[in-house]
Amino acid sequence: MQELPELDIYRSMLAERFAGAELTALHIKQNKLTNLSSDQIIEEINGKTVWFVERRAQHLVFHLDNGKRLVIQISNQSYLYSHTPSEQYDISKAAITLQFGDRMLSVFGLRADDLQLMTVKAVEVYMKAFGSDPLDKRLTLNRFIEKFSKKRSSLKTALMDQTIIAGIGTVYSDEIAFAAGIRPDTKLTELNSTRWEQLYTAMGNVLREAISHGGAGLNPLFANDILTGGYSERFKVFDREGLTCTCCGETIVKITVGNRKAFACPKCQSIDE
Ligand SMILES: [Zn+2]
């Protein structure tokens, strides 16, 4: 899983390790990964310094000192690993490897067009296709409700709609619904103002708590990375079918929402008070 908390963990750890570092090489091992030719992208980034790393929706954005942005889309099957040659880490299956002197950053599991080199303006145009960041301070409760006002879908489906808010997938939609005390298959039209407020508060709390515990990523970013994945043992409902709810003792169930599976506690999550 690679949702907002996992990308935020990547962002902070990459910024810590690579802000101010000079890109000395880029190895692109798959065709059609980029919006430009591999040679063009390599020529444009060679010798450039990374100012900092930003998270935008499902992307990591490397700000370069030539004003360009290297944008990498991280989907569910993608992951990153940072290493040095002496570690002899197998990068034969990496889609790309960024080299910073003797330090390398390999990205695995990229698909077509997941790597793009863009101008600042092009990034802003591109990002218009994605919804608000759930942790953006400008996303107030009223704006949050407003964004969903025309939607009639179920809660889980709506939370996962990347055009409304970006960064929540199948894992955190279940955890947020649990924290809000609402079943994930509840129709948005059934939510009253109290429920909307519970949902909004739960979204911020769950995502921030997940970030503070390292998210739920399966792959460490580097050797001795003890932060990544720490939140997965704190899941309340996701992938816990048949296990006991830590809040009420009821058994967690798996249900279907749209065509997706969802996990919920039959007692803690309801719609009618
Ligand atoms: Zn419960």
Side-chain angles (χ1 to χ4, degrees):
M1 67 212 58
Q2 301 289 20
E3 301 180 24
L4 185 151
E6 289 71 44
L7 263 80
D8 211 71
I9 298 297
Y10 276 148
R11 177 200 59 75
S12 62
M13 294 200 295
L14 291 173
E16 208 171 88
R17 297 169 88 80
F18 295 112
E22 183 187 327
L23 269 160
T24 51
L26 167 64
H27 309 280
I28 299 176
K29 297 164 191 168
Q30 275 172 236
N31 292 323
K32 296 179 181 166
L33 275 184
T34 75
N35 60 333
L36 305 168
S37 75
S38 296
D39 288 346
Q40 197 180 345
I41 204 165
I42 287 166
E43 195 185 315
E44 284 213 47
I45 72 161
N46 251 346
K48 303 300 179 296
T49 298
V50 172
W51 272 349
F52 64 98
V53 184
E54 183 191 16
R55 170 182 62 73
R56 295 283 296 268
Q58 289 292 101
H59 307 75
L60 293 169
V61 182
F62 292 76
H63 292 229
L64 306 180
D65 66 351
N66 60 349
K68 293 284 180 71
R69 305 284 188 258
L70 188 67
V71 180
I72 307 177
Q73 179 157 359
I74 304 295
S75 46
N76 257 333
Q77 71 277 13
S78 312
Y79 65 94
L80 287 74
Y81 192 77
S82 167
H83 53 104
T84 58
S86 62
E87 208 180 307
Q88 296 186 331
Y89 188 81
D90 180 13
I91 55 167
S92 59
K93 291 194 171 65
I96 61 167
T97 297
L98 295 157
Q99 205 159 335
F100 302 84
D102 64 350
R103 295 182 298 158
M104 293 186 273
L105 177 65
S106 293
V107 189
F108 297 79
L110 295 183
R111 300 167 305 186
D113 298 328
D114 278 353
L115 178 72
Q116 301 190 70
L117 185 68
M118 290 193 251
T119 62
V120 176
K121 207 170 168 184
V123 171
E124 294 313 317
V125 172
Y126 171 76
M127 289 296 171
K128 282 193 196 319
F130 301 93
S132 300
D133 189 295
L135 297 180
D136 188 335
K137 287 189 174 63
R138 292 167 294 184
L139 185 65
T140 59
L141 172 62
N142 284 342
R143 283 191 186 145
F144 177 73
I145 297 171
E146 169 66 25
K147 280 186 175 292
F148 290 102
S149 62
K150 291 189 179 66
K151 297 286 170 182
R152 314 189 73 76
S153 62
S154 63
L155 173 59
K156 184 180 178 88
T157 308
L159 285 174
M160 291 178 61
D161 185 338
Q162 303 300 306
T163 65
I164 306 177
I165 48 172
I168 296 172
T170 193
V171 177
Y172 291 100
S173 55
D174 282 358
E175 292 298 314
I176 290 165
F178 176 83
I182 308 169
R183 276 177 62 104
D185 55 353
T186 304
K187 294 286 177 207
L188 292 187
T189 47
E190 293 174 53
L191 300 180
N192 61 27
S193 58
T194 308
R195 291 300 199 171
W196 275 110
E197 195 169 347
Q198 287 169 340
L199 179 63
Y200 175 77
T201 305
M203 177 179 74
N205 288 347
V206 166
L207 295 175
R208 277 188 286 269
E209 202 194 331
I211 291 168
S212 72
H213 289 97
L218 300 173
N219 303 88
L221 180 61
F222 50 90
N224 308 319
D225 167 12
I226 54 165
L227 176 66
T228 298
Y231 191 66
S232 50
E233 60 198 38
R234 291 171 181 264
F235 285 154
K236 299 286 201 299
V237 285
F238 180 75
D239 213 17
R240 296 193 74 243
E241 182 189 19
L243 298 176
T244 304
C245 173
T246 54
C247 293
C248 74
E250 190 66 61
T251 303
I252 304 297
V253 295
K254 182 161 78 177
I255 58 174
T256 303
V257 183
N259 54 3
R260 293 177 184 280
K261 63 182 180 183
F263 300 90
C265 171
K267 202 166 163 185
C268 293
Q269 290 167 272
S270 61
I271 187 62
D272 301 309
E273 294 287 270

